Amino acid sequence: MGSAMEPPGGGHLHLGAVASPVGTARALQLAFGCTTFSLVAHRGGFAGVQGTFCMAAWGFCFALSGLVVACEFTRLHSCLHLSWGNFTAAFAMLATLLSATAAVIYPLYFTRLECPPEPAGCAARDFRLAASVFAGLLFLAYAAEVALTRARPGQVASYMATVSGLLKIVQAFVACIIFGALVYDSRYGRYMATQWCVAVYSLCFLATVAVVALSVTGHTGGLGCPFDRLVVVYTFLAVLLYLSAAVIWPVFCFDPKYGEPGRPPDCPRGSCYWDSQLVVATFTYVNLLLYIADLAYSQRIRFVPTL
């Protein structure tokens, strides 16, 4: 009769994947995500772009969280050609932003204290209120994972778990908001100057995504030069580019010579180009501040490519 060898380093299943504080946060993510999704799908209801976004965000986060927990519990992540620490840190930050956005959008557009007309009635209102509560709890669960896994000063950790790495996810997310406002009748094609701003947003977004992709796939060691230096140089260039956009976009959108300093009175609510221009301007300054903070933190980290 043959004999079986015990796997090195313990059993095949990793109980710490659900017993640790991070594992508990991930289990709560699955519970809250499934509950929120089910409440909305069953009786809460959703409609339009806003509702579709919320359902897509909750579904995406639930699916990826389930994959992370399954891989951690079965140790299958060691078979994946990924830097697992970078992948989980990047996903946790992205899921935090997505769940936070959905937790704001769904109550704003769908939740009311008064009962909607039949056939939905008060039952739909109660389901929407409950879904809004669990959506908030889902955001807190993802934020807790980010707080638990974030690299501390002096700690050796993966790049995406550092403040600089987490800021990369936020920068890309903010850039997506800018792109959404640009395509929604922002009239950016009227001047070469505003087209330059769109080029700045696109270039910085692509470079940020490339940094995240290289970190997650574990290919930062084959670039021919130190990855941390490349990150600092790119972030410095991004600050300069966004600084130019932060000056040019407001001038060519809100100066009386080129645009409208105030919201036109005949501009319809919900489909006004001036609103889109204001969103782009606001988040341009947000991303500029994020890149400046990223540049400051990038000076203080030392990259370890093997994590």
Side-chain angles (χ1 to χ4, degrees), residues 15 53 84 98 128 163 166 170 180 184 196 256 258-260:
L15 297 179
F53 168 81
W84 189 248
L98 287 174
R128 291 172 182 176
V163 173
L166 296 175
V170 184
Y184 197 67
W196 160 257
Y258 304 101
E260 297 286 346

Side-chain angles (χ1 to χ4, degrees), residues 222-249:
L223 297 177
C225 57
F227 180 70
D228 52 350
R229 292 187 183 180
L230 280 178
V231 171
V232 171
V233 171
Y234 147 66
T235 307
F236 176 70
L237 293 176
V239 169
L240 296 180
L241 290 172
Y242 257 90
L243 186 60
S244 69
V247 174
I248 292 173
W249 183 268

Side-chain angles (χ1 to χ4, degrees), residues 101-184:
T101 306
V104 172
I105 289 178
Y106 190 80
L108 187 63
Y109 282 91
F110 299 99
T111 303
R112 299 291 185 272
L113 293 178
E114 63 273 8
C115 296
E118 297 295 339
C122 292
R125 180 205 60 180
D126 296 340
F127 272 82
R128 291 172 182 176
L129 288 172
S132 300
V133 171
F134 278 100
L137 293 175
L138 179 63
F139 157 68
L140 293 177
Y142 281 114
E145 180 181 351
V146 173
L148 290 170
T149 58
R150 183 178 67 84
R152 302 299 189 271
Q155 177 186 1
V156 178
S158 55
Y159 172 71
M160 294 307 302
T162 64
V163 173
S164 179
L166 296 175
L167 284 174
K168 293 290 188 297
I169 304 296
V170 184
Q171 292 159 7
F173 189 82
V174 171
C176 289
I177 298 176
I178 292 176
F179 293 141
L182 283 172
V183 300
Y184 197 67

Side-chain angles (χ1 to χ4, degrees), residues 160-224:
M160 294 307 302
T162 64
V163 173
S164 179
L166 296 175
L167 284 174
K168 293 290 188 297
I169 304 296
V170 184
Q171 292 159 7
F173 189 82
V174 171
C176 289
I177 298 176
I178 292 176
F179 293 141
L182 283 172
V183 300
Y184 197 67
D185 192 27
S186 62
R187 300 185 180 182
Y188 66 85
R190 290 192 302 167
Y191 304 107
M192 287 295 297
T194 52
Q195 294 178 35
W196 160 257
C197 295
V198 176
V200 168
Y201 304 142
S202 303
L203 179 63
C204 293
F205 173 76
L206 292 175
T208 299
V209 170
V211 169
V212 174
L214 287 170
S215 300
V216 170
T217 57
H219 292 156
T220 55
L223 297 177

